[in-house]
Amino acid sequence: MTRRFRWTRPAPGGTVTVTRVAGDHELADGDPQRRYTLSVPAASDTTVHASDCDTAWEDGTLWVTVPDGAGLARVRLRNGDATVALRLPGPTFDDRLTATIDGDAAAAHDLLAGADSPVALALACGPFLDVEGFVALVDTLATASEGASDDLHATRYDLVRIAATTTAGPPVGTADEFEALVEGLDGVDAVGDVDVLDALADTTFVAHDTPAETKRFLADLGYELPLLAERGDGRFLAHYLAQVARTAGVRDAKQAAARRGANTDHADFADAKAAAERADYWDRGAAWRDAVLPAASESFPTFAYVLANALYWTGEVGRSDSRADELLHEGAAAAARTIDLEWVAGHADYERARAAAHRHRSKRNHALALEHFETARGVAESHSFLDPWEPTYSHAVVRSNMLSTTGDHERAVEVLDDALADLREQGVPDDRFAEMRDHLEGQRHERRAIVADDDGDRLAHLEAALDHYEAVGFERSVARIETKLDDAEAAGEDTGGESREGGARPQPVLRPDPDAGPSLDDIPTLHDSLTETDPGAVGSADPGVLPDEREDALADDPGVPGRDSEPHYR
């Protein structure tokens, strides 16, 4: 089943039950209707405000009639100062929704044309769909429209969290429903990867202010914390301890780890710590997590040191589009600062700001993305062991793109030129600077092509942009420039010109506007080849050791690598 003919919503004084009434009125030629009954608690004290529908009370039951063409009608129930709003589909909308769930792209286009956004559309339809139907809706919307795909990709973890914590979206009241929603969205190619543990961490970070709230949320779904702690090589336990550390304090995190450690088998502390210090870059997070439970029976500074490392390195290799990495880095910073482990605290602050910036960047929240990139740059500039070039680069790409979306291409080019000058002064390693330069120069030429007065200049800039994008390996940018070149060549052939390759390429069905500037997608993301971390850039497996535990150099000494530990983050 994908459609629900009866659903409930919390309301003042109890629960509203909505029932769709089937009958000949749904099939009437020329004037179909949808009718619903609402069982309303304290009906005599409830006032009704309706849009795009008719309402009438009958024996304490509210009848709602939605005419054809109404789209999603709205009924608002008020009892005193409390209100609840319900959306009810009209006939045409309902038919298009059913067709979209069945995979009809044309019906999906019709729904999107009347919606503020694909995300708002999906969430509004969620209450009268089950999880399977909601996933099918998202799948067809994302497949039918590249713009919808981008929006749903950027908000896929938000969709899960909203469904699990609010009355919007499909009903998610059990662990099975939560995991079915996550796995369903994960199976939608146009949306991207979605992970259960990351979705739980995202919800924890956004919706809960205390560990007790997190435990209550998990219990209400039917999860058992000890069983969750065993999943993902202890990754969820790291998420939970990060939540405890950042909200209740590191001593509470130590107590939680000690309770867990008392009921599980684990390695000897000295062995686990030694293994963590020897671990390769990609295995470092898991190795430090293995040392957390043994460390819970050690001194507080020792535990805080191990927890800071475990949370930081788990977040460092997490690569999640959810807020899981932000949760981990915030917890790592909290643990590190209790023992003045500034290398970890500084890196964690830096990576948390960049993670938030890229999250907002993917959602086209330009101003917020720029704010977080500026925060990351400020953190880097305040520590000798961090470098500001990555946020400088990302900030420039977002700022330039924002200017281009307003038509100010000349200023957008100036931003790119200024960024290249800044990056040269910041001493970026040669290989990474070459990648940055090719990307920024590609964007510069693409924008120059937009404002070029002469067809020859336009083609020259597009050719140059193509060369730079090919050098940096940005496939989406290459495809976009090739499309623009095809358009320019086709126009040249109409006036007797020659094609660059002696023949026209196949024309894509959907083309960017010829005045469209570089996309935000051009910033390295999880799906770009440039995002792979160079483990050799990290150096020591110990980010800022305690002086009384080892004789290594302190984190700000020349003997400890001063480079950003992850130059290609996201």
Short mmCIF file of all heavy atoms in Angstrom, two decimals, residues 65-123:
data_model
loop_
_atom_site.label_atom_id
_atom_site.label_comp_id
_atom_site.label_asym_id
_atom_site.label_seq_id
_atom_site.Cartn_x
_atom_site.Cartn_y
_atom_site.Cartn_z
N THR A 65 -15.22 19.21 1.89
CA THR A 65 -15.38 18.91 0.47
C THR A 65 -14.38 19.77 -0.31
O THR A 65 -14.39 21.01 -0.22
CB THR A 65 -16.80 19.22 -0.02
OG1 THR A 65 -17.72 18.45 0.74
CG2 THR A 65 -16.95 18.89 -1.49
N VAL A 66 -13.52 19.10 -1.08
CA VAL A 66 -12.50 19.79 -1.86
C VAL A 66 -12.87 19.68 -3.34
O VAL A 66 -12.92 18.57 -3.88
CB VAL A 66 -11.10 19.18 -1.62
CG1 VAL A 66 -10.04 20.01 -2.36
CG2 VAL A 66 -10.79 19.11 -0.14
N PRO A 67 -13.14 20.81 -4.00
CA PRO A 67 -13.55 20.76 -5.41
C PRO A 67 -12.36 20.54 -6.33
O PRO A 67 -11.19 20.68 -5.92
CB PRO A 67 -14.16 22.15 -5.63
CG PRO A 67 -13.41 23.03 -4.67
CD PRO A 67 -13.14 22.18 -3.47
N ASP A 68 -12.66 20.23 -7.56
CA ASP A 68 -11.60 20.06 -8.55
C ASP A 68 -10.87 21.38 -8.77
O ASP A 68 -11.46 22.45 -8.73
CB ASP A 68 -12.20 19.57 -9.87
CG ASP A 68 -11.14 19.01 -10.80
OD1 ASP A 68 -10.05 18.66 -10.30
OD2 ASP A 68 -11.40 18.91 -12.01
N GLY A 69 -9.57 21.29 -8.99
CA GLY A 69 -8.78 22.49 -9.22
C GLY A 69 -8.27 23.14 -7.97
O GLY A 69 -7.54 24.15 -8.03
N ALA A 70 -8.61 22.61 -6.81
CA ALA A 70 -8.21 23.24 -5.55
C ALA A 70 -6.76 22.94 -5.18
O ALA A 70 -6.19 23.62 -4.33
CB ALA A 70 -9.13 22.79 -4.43
N GLY A 71 -6.16 21.92 -5.77
CA GLY A 71 -4.81 21.54 -5.37
C GLY A 71 -4.81 20.94 -3.99
O GLY A 71 -5.57 20.00 -3.71
N LEU A 72 -3.99 21.47 -3.11
CA LEU A 72 -3.96 21.03 -1.72
C LEU A 72 -4.73 22.04 -0.87
O LEU A 72 -4.25 23.15 -0.61
CB LEU A 72 -2.52 20.93 -1.21
CG LEU A 72 -1.78 19.61 -1.45
CD1 LEU A 72 -0.34 19.74 -0.96
CD2 LEU A 72 -2.46 18.46 -0.75
N ALA A 73 -5.94 21.68 -0.47
CA ALA A 73 -6.73 22.56 0.38
C ALA A 73 -6.15 22.58 1.79
O ALA A 73 -5.46 21.64 2.21
CB ALA A 73 -8.18 22.10 0.41
N ARG A 74 -6.43 23.66 2.51
CA ARG A 74 -5.92 23.79 3.88
C ARG A 74 -7.09 23.95 4.85
O ARG A 74 -8.01 24.75 4.61
CB ARG A 74 -5.01 25.01 4.00
CG ARG A 74 -4.42 25.22 5.40
CD ARG A 74 -3.74 26.55 5.50
NE ARG A 74 -2.56 26.59 4.64
CZ ARG A 74 -1.33 26.21 5.02
NH1 ARG A 74 -1.15 25.75 6.25
NH2 ARG A 74 -0.33 26.29 4.19
N VAL A 75 -7.04 23.18 5.93
CA VAL A 75 -7.99 23.31 7.02
C VAL A 75 -7.21 23.57 8.30
O VAL A 75 -6.33 22.77 8.66
CB VAL A 75 -8.87 22.05 7.17
CG1 VAL A 75 -9.78 22.18 8.38
CG2 VAL A 75 -9.68 21.82 5.91
N ARG A 76 -7.52 24.66 8.98
CA ARG A 76 -6.85 24.99 10.23
C ARG A 76 -7.86 24.93 11.37
O ARG A 76 -8.91 25.59 11.31
CB ARG A 76 -6.22 26.38 10.15
CG ARG A 76 -5.36 26.73 11.36
CD ARG A 76 -4.75 28.12 11.20
NE ARG A 76 -3.88 28.19 10.05
CZ ARG A 76 -2.60 27.84 10.05
NH1 ARG A 76 -2.06 27.38 11.17
NH2 ARG A 76 -1.87 27.94 8.97
N LEU A 77 -7.54 24.14 12.38
CA LEU A 77 -8.40 23.99 13.55
C LEU A 77 -7.78 24.73 14.73
O LEU A 77 -6.60 24.56 15.03
CB LEU A 77 -8.56 22.50 13.90
CG LEU A 77 -9.04 21.58 12.77
CD1 LEU A 77 -9.06 20.14 13.25
CD2 LEU A 77 -10.41 22.00 12.26
N ARG A 78 -8.58 25.55 15.38
CA ARG A 78 -8.08 26.31 16.52
C ARG A 78 -8.92 26.02 17.76
O ARG A 78 -10.15 26.02 17.71
CB ARG A 78 -8.12 27.81 16.21
CG ARG A 78 -7.65 28.70 17.37
CD ARG A 78 -7.73 30.17 17.00
NE ARG A 78 -6.82 30.49 15.92
CZ ARG A 78 -5.53 30.78 16.08
NH1 ARG A 78 -5.01 30.76 17.31
NH2 ARG A 78 -4.78 31.07 15.06
N ASN A 79 -8.21 25.76 18.85
CA ASN A 79 -8.86 25.56 20.15
C ASN A 79 -8.08 26.38 21.15
O ASN A 79 -6.99 26.01 21.56
CB ASN A 79 -8.86 24.08 20.53
CG ASN A 79 -9.71 23.80 21.76
OD1 ASN A 79 -9.84 24.66 22.63
ND2 ASN A 79 -10.28 22.62 21.83
N GLY A 80 -8.64 27.54 21.52
CA GLY A 80 -7.90 28.46 22.37
C GLY A 80 -6.71 29.02 21.61
O GLY A 80 -6.85 29.55 20.51
N ASP A 81 -5.53 28.90 22.20
CA ASP A 81 -4.32 29.40 21.55
C ASP A 81 -3.62 28.34 20.70
O ASP A 81 -2.62 28.63 20.04
CB ASP A 81 -3.32 29.92 22.60
CG ASP A 81 -3.85 31.14 23.33
OD1 ASP A 81 -4.63 31.90 22.72
OD2 ASP A 81 -3.48 31.32 24.52
N ALA A 82 -4.12 27.13 20.74
CA ALA A 82 -3.48 26.02 20.02
C ALA A 82 -4.15 25.81 18.67
O ALA A 82 -5.37 25.94 18.53
CB ALA A 82 -3.55 24.74 20.84
N THR A 83 -3.35 25.50 17.65
CA THR A 83 -3.88 25.25 16.31
C THR A 83 -3.22 24.02 15.70
O THR A 83 -2.12 23.61 16.10
CB THR A 83 -3.63 26.44 15.37
OG1 THR A 83 -2.22 26.63 15.22
CG2 THR A 83 -4.26 27.71 15.91
N VAL A 84 -3.89 23.43 14.73
CA VAL A 84 -3.31 22.38 13.90
C VAL A 84 -3.79 22.61 12.47
O VAL A 84 -4.95 22.97 12.24
CB VAL A 84 -3.72 20.97 14.39
CG1 VAL A 84 -5.24 20.79 14.38
CG2 VAL A 84 -3.05 19.90 13.55
N ALA A 85 -2.89 22.47 11.52
CA ALA A 85 -3.22 22.68 10.11
C ALA A 85 -3.11 21.36 9.36
O ALA A 85 -2.19 20.57 9.59
CB ALA A 85 -2.29 23.71 9.48
N LEU A 86 -4.07 21.12 8.48
CA LEU A 86 -4.08 19.90 7.69
C LEU A 86 -4.19 20.27 6.21
O LEU A 86 -4.87 21.24 5.85
CB LEU A 86 -5.25 18.99 8.07
CG LEU A 86 -5.29 18.53 9.53
CD1 LEU A 86 -6.30 19.38 10.29
CD2 LEU A 86 -5.65 17.06 9.63
N ARG A 87 -3.51 19.50 5.35
CA ARG A 87 -3.61 19.68 3.91
C ARG A 87 -4.35 18.49 3.33
O ARG A 87 -4.06 17.32 3.66
CB ARG A 87 -2.22 19.78 3.27
CG ARG A 87 -1.36 20.88 3.86
CD ARG A 87 -1.99 22.25 3.73
NE ARG A 87 -2.15 22.68 2.36
CZ ARG A 87 -1.24 23.36 1.67
NH1 ARG A 87 -0.10 23.71 2.25
NH2 ARG A 87 -1.46 23.72 0.43
N LEU A 88 -5.32 18.77 2.45
CA LEU A 88 -6.17 17.73 1.88
C LEU A 88 -6.19 17.87 0.36
O LEU A 88 -6.51 18.94 -0.16
CB LEU A 88 -7.60 17.86 2.44
CG LEU A 88 -7.71 17.82 3.97
CD1 LEU A 88 -9.14 18.16 4.40
CD2 LEU A 88 -7.29 16.47 4.50
N PRO A 89 -5.84 16.82 -0.37
CA PRO A 89 -5.73 16.93 -1.83
C PRO A 89 -7.08 16.97 -2.53
O PRO A 89 -8.02 16.24 -2.16
CB PRO A 89 -4.95 15.68 -2.22
CG PRO A 89 -5.23 14.70 -1.13
CD PRO A 89 -5.40 15.50 0.12
N GLY A 90 -7.18 17.83 -3.56
CA GLY A 90 -8.34 17.85 -4.43
C GLY A 90 -8.24 16.78 -5.49
O GLY A 90 -7.22 16.08 -5.61
N PRO A 91 -9.27 16.62 -6.33
CA PRO A 91 -9.31 15.51 -7.30
C PRO A 91 -8.15 15.50 -8.28
O PRO A 91 -7.48 14.46 -8.44
CB PRO A 91 -10.64 15.74 -8.02
CG PRO A 91 -11.48 16.48 -7.04
CD PRO A 91 -10.53 17.38 -6.30
N THR A 92 -7.90 16.61 -8.98
CA THR A 92 -6.84 16.61 -9.98
C THR A 92 -5.48 16.41 -9.33
O THR A 92 -4.65 15.63 -9.82
CB THR A 92 -6.86 17.93 -10.78
OG1 THR A 92 -8.12 18.05 -11.46
CG2 THR A 92 -5.74 17.96 -11.80
N PHE A 93 -5.24 17.11 -8.24
CA PHE A 93 -3.98 16.94 -7.51
C PHE A 93 -3.82 15.50 -7.08
O PHE A 93 -2.74 14.90 -7.23
CB PHE A 93 -3.95 17.87 -6.30
CG PHE A 93 -2.64 17.85 -5.55
CD1 PHE A 93 -1.69 18.81 -5.78
CD2 PHE A 93 -2.37 16.85 -4.63
CE1 PHE A 93 -0.48 18.79 -5.10
CE2 PHE A 93 -1.17 16.81 -3.93
CZ PHE A 93 -0.22 17.79 -4.18
N ASP A 94 -4.88 14.91 -6.55
CA ASP A 94 -4.84 13.54 -6.06
C ASP A 94 -4.51 12.56 -7.19
O ASP A 94 -3.70 11.64 -7.02
CB ASP A 94 -6.18 13.19 -5.42
CG ASP A 94 -6.06 12.07 -4.40
OD1 ASP A 94 -4.98 11.94 -3.80
OD2 ASP A 94 -7.04 11.34 -4.21
N ASP A 95 -5.12 12.78 -8.36
CA ASP A 95 -4.85 11.90 -9.49
C ASP A 95 -3.40 12.04 -9.96
O ASP A 95 -2.75 11.04 -10.31
CB ASP A 95 -5.81 12.22 -10.65
CG ASP A 95 -7.26 11.84 -10.34
OD1 ASP A 95 -7.46 11.03 -9.41
OD2 ASP A 95 -8.16 12.35 -11.02
N ARG A 96 -2.92 13.27 -9.98
CA ARG A 96 -1.52 13.48 -10.39
C ARG A 96 -0.57 12.87 -9.39
O ARG A 96 0.48 12.32 -9.76
CB ARG A 96 -1.25 14.98 -10.54
CG ARG A 96 -1.90 15.62 -11.76
CD ARG A 96 -1.76 17.13 -11.75
NE ARG A 96 -2.32 17.73 -12.95
CZ ARG A 96 -2.53 19.02 -13.11
NH1 ARG A 96 -2.24 19.87 -12.09
NH2 ARG A 96 -3.04 19.50 -14.23
N LEU A 97 -0.91 12.96 -8.11
CA LEU A 97 -0.07 12.37 -7.08
C LEU A 97 0.01 10.85 -7.26
O LEU A 97 1.10 10.26 -7.20
CB LEU A 97 -0.61 12.71 -5.70
CG LEU A 97 0.12 12.10 -4.50
CD1 LEU A 97 1.58 12.53 -4.46
CD2 LEU A 97 -0.59 12.48 -3.19
N THR A 98 -1.14 10.23 -7.49
CA THR A 98 -1.15 8.78 -7.71
C THR A 98 -0.32 8.40 -8.92
O THR A 98 0.47 7.44 -8.89
CB THR A 98 -2.60 8.29 -7.89
OG1 THR A 98 -3.34 8.58 -6.70
CG2 THR A 98 -2.63 6.80 -8.15
N ALA A 99 -0.46 9.18 -10.00
CA ALA A 99 0.31 8.90 -11.21
C ALA A 99 1.81 9.09 -10.97
O ALA A 99 2.64 8.31 -11.47
CB ALA A 99 -0.18 9.78 -12.36
N THR A 100 2.15 10.11 -10.21
CA THR A 100 3.57 10.36 -9.92
C THR A 100 4.16 9.22 -9.11
O THR A 100 5.28 8.76 -9.36
CB THR A 100 3.73 11.69 -9.16
OG1 THR A 100 3.23 12.76 -9.97
CG2 THR A 100 5.18 11.95 -8.82
N ILE A 101 3.42 8.74 -8.12
CA ILE A 101 3.88 7.60 -7.33
C ILE A 101 4.10 6.38 -8.22
O ILE A 101 5.02 5.58 -8.00
CB ILE A 101 2.87 7.29 -6.21
CG1 ILE A 101 2.87 8.41 -5.18
CG2 ILE A 101 3.18 5.96 -5.53
CD1 ILE A 101 1.76 8.31 -4.17
N ASP A 102 3.29 6.27 -9.27
CA ASP A 102 3.43 5.16 -10.22
C ASP A 102 4.52 5.39 -11.25
O ASP A 102 4.70 4.58 -12.16
CB ASP A 102 2.10 4.91 -10.93
CG ASP A 102 1.05 4.33 -9.99
OD1 ASP A 102 1.44 3.74 -8.96
OD2 ASP A 102 -0.15 4.48 -10.28
N GLY A 103 5.23 6.55 -11.17
CA GLY A 103 6.37 6.79 -12.04
C GLY A 103 6.09 7.66 -13.25
O GLY A 103 6.92 7.72 -14.16
N ASP A 104 4.97 8.37 -13.27
CA ASP A 104 4.60 9.20 -14.41
C ASP A 104 5.33 10.55 -14.31
O ASP A 104 5.00 11.39 -13.49
CB ASP A 104 3.08 9.42 -14.42
CG ASP A 104 2.58 10.11 -15.67
OD1 ASP A 104 3.32 10.94 -16.23
OD2 ASP A 104 1.43 9.84 -16.07
N ALA A 105 6.32 10.76 -15.20
CA ALA A 105 7.12 11.98 -15.15
C ALA A 105 6.30 13.22 -15.51
O ALA A 105 6.52 14.30 -14.96
CB ALA A 105 8.32 11.87 -16.08
N ALA A 106 5.34 13.08 -16.44
CA ALA A 106 4.51 14.22 -16.83
C ALA A 106 3.67 14.69 -15.64
O ALA A 106 3.52 15.90 -15.41
CB ALA A 106 3.61 13.84 -18.00
N ALA A 107 3.11 13.75 -14.91
CA ALA A 107 2.34 14.12 -13.71
C ALA A 107 3.25 14.79 -12.68
O ALA A 107 2.84 15.75 -12.00
CB ALA A 107 1.68 12.88 -13.11
N ALA A 108 4.48 14.31 -12.56
CA ALA A 108 5.43 14.93 -11.63
C ALA A 108 5.71 16.37 -12.02
O ALA A 108 5.76 17.26 -11.16
CB ALA A 108 6.72 14.12 -11.59
N HIS A 109 5.89 16.62 -13.31
CA HIS A 109 6.11 17.99 -13.78
C HIS A 109 4.92 18.88 -13.43
O HIS A 109 5.09 20.04 -13.03
CB HIS A 109 6.36 18.00 -15.28
CG HIS A 109 7.75 17.62 -15.67
ND1 HIS A 109 8.84 18.43 -15.41
CD2 HIS A 109 8.25 16.52 -16.29
CE1 HIS A 109 9.95 17.85 -15.86
NE2 HIS A 109 9.61 16.69 -16.40
N ASP A 110 3.72 18.35 -13.58
CA ASP A 110 2.52 19.13 -13.25
C ASP A 110 2.48 19.48 -11.76
O ASP A 110 2.12 20.60 -11.38
CB ASP A 110 1.26 18.35 -13.64
CG ASP A 110 1.07 18.26 -15.15
OD1 ASP A 110 1.63 19.12 -15.86
OD2 ASP A 110 0.38 17.33 -15.60
N LEU A 111 2.82 18.50 -10.91
CA LEU A 111 2.84 18.77 -9.47
C LEU A 111 3.90 19.82 -9.13
O LEU A 111 3.65 20.74 -8.35
CB LEU A 111 3.12 17.49 -8.69
CG LEU A 111 2.00 16.45 -8.61
CD1 LEU A 111 2.47 15.25 -7.79
CD2 LEU A 111 0.74 17.04 -7.98
N LEU A 112 5.08 19.69 -9.72
CA LEU A 112 6.16 20.63 -9.43
C LEU A 112 5.81 22.04 -9.89
O LEU A 112 6.18 23.02 -9.24
CB LEU A 112 7.46 20.16 -10.10
CG LEU A 112 8.11 18.92 -9.49
CD1 LEU A 112 9.20 18.38 -10.41
CD2 LEU A 112 8.70 19.25 -8.12
N ALA A 113 5.09 22.13 -11.00
CA ALA A 113 4.74 23.45 -11.54
C ALA A 113 3.85 24.23 -10.57
O ALA A 113 3.89 25.47 -10.56
CB ALA A 113 4.04 23.30 -12.89
N GLY A 114 3.08 23.54 -9.76
CA GLY A 114 2.19 24.22 -8.83
C GLY A 114 2.70 24.28 -7.41
O GLY A 114 1.97 24.71 -6.51
N ALA A 115 3.95 23.87 -7.19
CA ALA A 115 4.50 23.81 -5.83
C ALA A 115 5.56 24.88 -5.62
O ALA A 115 6.24 25.30 -6.56
CB ALA A 115 5.10 22.43 -5.57
N ASP A 116 5.70 25.31 -4.36
CA ASP A 116 6.76 26.25 -4.04
C ASP A 116 8.14 25.62 -4.21
O ASP A 116 9.09 26.29 -4.62
CB ASP A 116 6.61 26.75 -2.60
CG ASP A 116 5.38 27.65 -2.43
OD1 ASP A 116 4.95 28.25 -3.43
OD2 ASP A 116 4.86 27.72 -1.31
N SER A 117 8.25 24.36 -3.86
CA SER A 117 9.52 23.64 -3.99
C SER A 117 9.23 22.15 -3.94
O SER A 117 8.21 21.73 -3.38
CB SER A 117 10.48 24.02 -2.87
OG SER A 117 10.10 23.40 -1.65
N PRO A 118 10.11 21.33 -4.50
CA PRO A 118 9.88 19.88 -4.42
C PRO A 118 9.92 19.36 -2.99
O PRO A 118 9.23 18.40 -2.67
CB PRO A 118 11.03 19.29 -5.26
CG PRO A 118 12.04 20.37 -5.37
CD PRO A 118 11.29 21.66 -5.31
N VAL A 119 10.70 19.99 -2.14
CA VAL A 119 10.79 19.55 -0.75
C VAL A 119 9.48 19.83 -0.03
O VAL A 119 8.92 18.97 0.66
CB VAL A 119 11.96 20.25 -0.04
CG1 VAL A 119 11.99 19.87 1.44
CG2 VAL A 119 13.28 19.88 -0.69
N ALA A 120 8.94 21.05 -0.21
CA ALA A 120 7.66 21.39 0.41
C ALA A 120 6.55 20.50 -0.12
O ALA A 120 5.65 20.08 0.63
CB ALA A 120 7.33 22.86 0.15
N LEU A 121 6.59 20.21 -1.41
CA LEU A 121 5.58 19.33 -2.02
C LEU A 121 5.63 17.95 -1.39
O LEU A 121 4.58 17.40 -0.99
CB LEU A 121 5.83 19.24 -3.53
CG LEU A 121 4.99 18.24 -4.30
CD1 LEU A 121 3.51 18.60 -4.26
CD2 LEU A 121 5.48 18.15 -5.75
N ALA A 122 6.81 17.37 -1.30
CA ALA A 122 6.94 16.02 -0.75
C ALA A 122 6.48 15.97 0.70
O ALA A 122 5.74 15.05 1.10
CB ALA A 122 8.39 15.55 -0.87
N LEU A 123 6.88 16.94 1.50
CA LEU A 123 6.50 16.94 2.91
C LEU A 123 5.00 17.16 3.09
O LEU A 123 4.38 16.57 3.98
CB LEU A 123 7.28 18.00 3.67
CG LEU A 123 8.78 17.73 3.84
CD1 LEU A 123 9.48 18.93 4.44
CD2 LEU A 123 9.02 16.49 4.71
#
